[in-house]
Amino acid sequence: MSLLAAAAVLGATVTVVVINREPAPAPTANAAPVSADVTLESSLWKSQKAVKGKARSENTPLELGTRFKASRNGEVAGVRFYKPASERGTHRGSLWDSDKKLLAKVTFTDETRSGWQQALFSEPVPIVAGRVYTVSYHTKHGGYVAAPGALADPVTVGPLTAQAGVFAPSAKGAFPFRRHRAHVNYWVDVVFRHRERRPRPSAQPTGGVTAEPTASQPEGSPSPSPTLTGQPSDGVTSTPTTSGSASPSATPSNSGTSTPTSTPTRSSSSSPSASHSPKPSLTPNPTNQPTKVPSSTPTRTTTPPPTGGFPGAADTGVPSGTTLKQSKSITITKDGTEIDGLEVHGEINVEADNVTIRNTRLAAAPGDWGIIQRQGHTGLTVEDSEIFGNGKERTQFAILNQGRDLTVRRVDIHTISNGILTEQGLVEDSYLHDPKYFSGDHTDMIMCTSGPPSGATLVIRGNTVINTLEQTGAVALFQDFGVVRNVTVERNFLAGGGYTLYGGAGSKGTSSNIKVVNNVFSRDVWAKGGYNGPVAYWDKGAPGNEWKGNVWEDGKVVPEGG
């Protein structure tokens, strides 16, 4: 039996950072978390539109897999495989230990005609660092894409090491134990999750607002004072930076779009303007090179939304004519602090309640976040502001909410891996667009990973959300850490991603009171809305779930659940 195919190219790890929501003791009055507990999700190969290689079919049932190990303890959440266009039929993914014991299996559903397919187990399977496991899929017709010689040596990507491509002739699926002498990679991948503690920047014991020195200003030299409205000057102190240079040297601009030299004038009203730039093609280009601009005048990317009242650059971000004062990274520890009119190079750590950040441009430093509201705190408002990464190094989140209530209003977020992660609050009249892909990313513009706590809600309303990548979503409601409930997604313009909307269904239980109403889905990024379709993981008929008035741009109805 021949199991060779034309050579294919190995890709890169896929990693998503999400914040764990395990119960924690109530914080003391002045205590601040010393680290963020995150879960990293990794795979061996990048989710690309295509894998280079020639499709083959043996016309006989096969189990095809990858033998692998992880460098740390974690969980296997699911299986991925690359499907050639000629392949057909139902596929089943499996995870095996080194004793050939089947640990988990899952049937692939909603497969696309070709390309990467993914299926998650009903429950993640714990695995032990250093032990060998095998992930595989079964094909009745023996169709696959493979790369001879690609696994002649082990391939390590992040915490994962692929040791060998393996196969077995099998009518119903069996442990794939055979290894071709040509060291073939059969493009079978694993979805692996492990937890990690990320330390927060250390703070001086002076409280209030802490400012970090930028790379261009040595620690201890005179620093510009942030503008604080309604707070005493003792809210500003210094801490050393932990994330390297905080001043971005570049912000990428999308191919085929223009970069304005100034921010257009916009109305101060909270309602989105009805007049915007004409809508160009939104063909994604994740490999764009950044355009050099002075760090003091960052240039926003411009993937305009359509006309018709959805927000864009003209009515989000810092209002035209606002004078901004330069600032380093800051940490806020005094309740009720208001920040107004800053250009921050680095990050903003919020360790207090009822903080307001407005009229602020944040050039986020490489790291996990641009703005974070820490666990145990509530009431953060971010409005009339702009947040972006430098286009060269990953900033994982623009706004990361570990705490409770969050309000985001008229904020322009771009050139960053993920936009907003929050379980509760309000995101409205904002413009999230042009995410930047880095090797290892899953990319979501607005994400919820467990749903609001009891009595709370999450409302995503009146935004323009455009994910110009093939993964993951524009709006993503996930059950990573609990059942999703009490979320409203209404009157948004949504486009792109693997699926444009992930609707909250999952293995932890049936979602409820999820209302997706009066949204406009666009085909401008991908012909199906998302690369795979407009909607996935929707609990149709679940208590309180409502799907109403959702249409394509041409007015045709988007069926419930896509």
Side-chain angles (χ1 to χ4, degrees), residues 367-413:
D368 289 335
W369 51 72
I371 297 175
I372 182 172
Q373 177 172 249
R374 296 285 185 176
Q375 185 177 1
H377 296 289
T378 188
L380 173 63
T381 296
V382 183
E383 60 186 12
D384 300 306
S385 296
E386 181 184 5
I387 307 169
F388 57 94
N390 68 16
K392 290 183 176 180
E393 302 164 278
R394 179 196 290 115
T395 302
Q396 196 70 28
F397 295 97
I399 301 175
L400 174 58
N401 182 23
Q402 291 180 315
R404 298 188 296 279
D405 202 45
L406 169 73
T407 298
V408 178
R409 184 179 293 117
R410 298 184 301 276
V411 175
D412 184 352
I413 293 174

Side-chain angles (χ1 to χ4, degrees), residues 185-550:
N185 174 24
Y186 301 109
W187 298 104
V188 187
D189 206 347
V190 59
V191 181
F192 174 67
R193 297 172 181 169
H194 70 277
R195 294 184 179 183
E196 184 174 304
R197 300 290 286 181
R198 294 286 181 89
R200 74 167 182 86
S202 59
Q204 298 286 352
T206 47
V209 179
T210 312
E212 296 180 358
T214 62
S216 61
Q217 180 175 347
E219 184 178 0
S221 63
S223 61
S225 297
T227 301
L228 301 178
T229 303
Q231 293 298 324
S233 60
D234 64 357
V236 183
T237 52
S238 298
T239 63
T241 183
T242 60
S243 55
S245 173
S247 299
S249 60
T251 300
S253 58
N254 277 6
S255 175
T257 61
S258 61
T259 303
T261 57
S262 62
T263 305
T265 302
R266 66 170 185 81
S267 168
S268 60
S269 168
S270 61
S271 299
S273 170
S275 177
H276 300 292
S277 305
K279 178 181 61 181
S281 169
L282 301 182
T283 303
N285 184 4
T287 59
N288 289 337
Q289 296 300 313
T291 302
K292 298 287 185 180
V293 296
S295 61
S296 61
T297 56
T299 304
R300 68 178 62 183
T301 51
T302 55
T303 302
T307 58
F310 293 101
D315 41 25
T316 60
V318 180
S320 179
T322 302
T323 300
L324 301 180
K325 185 174 289 187
Q326 298 295 307
S327 174
K328 302 167 290 187
S329 293
I330 58 180
T331 297
I332 302 168
T333 56
K334 185 167 185 177
D335 291 351
T337 297
E338 296 185 10
I339 291 180
D340 196 327
L342 294 186
E343 183 168 302
V344 179
H345 297 274
E347 60 186 41
I348 300 176
N349 286 274
V350 178
E351 300 174 6
D353 293 344
N354 302 319
V355 171
T356 298
I357 301 168
R358 65 167 62 94
N359 301 327
T360 292
R361 179 175 292 132
L362 174 60
D368 289 335
W369 51 72
I371 297 175
I372 182 172
Q373 177 172 249
R374 296 285 185 176
Q375 185 177 1
H377 296 289
T378 188
L380 173 63
T381 296
V382 183
E383 60 186 12
D384 300 306
S385 296
E386 181 184 5
I387 307 169
F388 57 94
N390 68 16
K392 290 183 176 180
E393 302 164 278
R394 179 196 290 115
T395 302
Q396 196 70 28
F397 295 97
I399 301 175
L400 174 58
N401 182 23
Q402 291 180 315
R404 298 188 296 279
D405 202 45
L406 169 73
T407 298
V408 178
R409 184 179 293 117
R410 298 184 301 276
V411 175
D412 184 352
I413 293 174
H414 59 88
T415 322
I416 212 154
S417 294
N418 294 276
I420 300 169
L421 171 57
T422 186
E423 316 301 348
Q424 67 182 87
L426 170 65
V427 181
E428 69 175 354
D429 298 342
S430 292
Y431 182 26
L432 297 94
H433 60 109
D434 296 285
K436 180 68 176 177
Y437 179 81
F438 292 92
S439 177
D441 282 349
H442 283 188
T443 303
D444 299 286
M445 304 310 294
I446 301 176
M447 176 166 51
C448 167
T449 58
S450 68
S454 178
T457 61
L458 173 61
V459 177
I460 301 168
R461 179 174 63 210
N463 305 283
T464 295
V465 191
I466 302 174
N467 182 347
T468 47
L469 303 176
E470 71 203 46
Q471 52 85 23
T472 305
V475 173
L477 310 179
F478 292 140
Q479 286 197 15
D480 291 317
F481 307 108
V483 179
V484 181
R485 302 182 178 95
N486 304 325
V487 179
T488 298
V489 181
E490 64 178 351
R491 293 190 285 108
N492 302 281
F493 178 86
L494 306 173
Y499 288 95
T500 304
L501 172 71
Y502 284 79
S507 62
K508 290 183 168 57
T510 302
S511 66
S512 62
N513 200 30
I514 310 296
K515 300 184 185 302
V516 181
V517 295
N518 299 329
N519 298 282
V520 175
F521 287 76
S522 172
R523 303 181 191 271
D524 283 342
V525 178
W526 301 111
K528 298 179 181 179
Y531 180 71
N532 298 305
V535 185
Y537 293 89
W538 170 253
D539 278 329
K540 185 175 182 179
N545 282 8
E546 182 179 0
W547 183 279
K548 182 177 67 176
N550 300 298

Side-chain angles (χ1 to χ4, degrees), residues 5-28:
V9 180
L10 290 177
T13 184
V14 175
T15 306
V16 61
V17 180
V18 292
I19 299 301
N20 295 325
R21 296 299 184 202
E22 296 182 343
T28 60

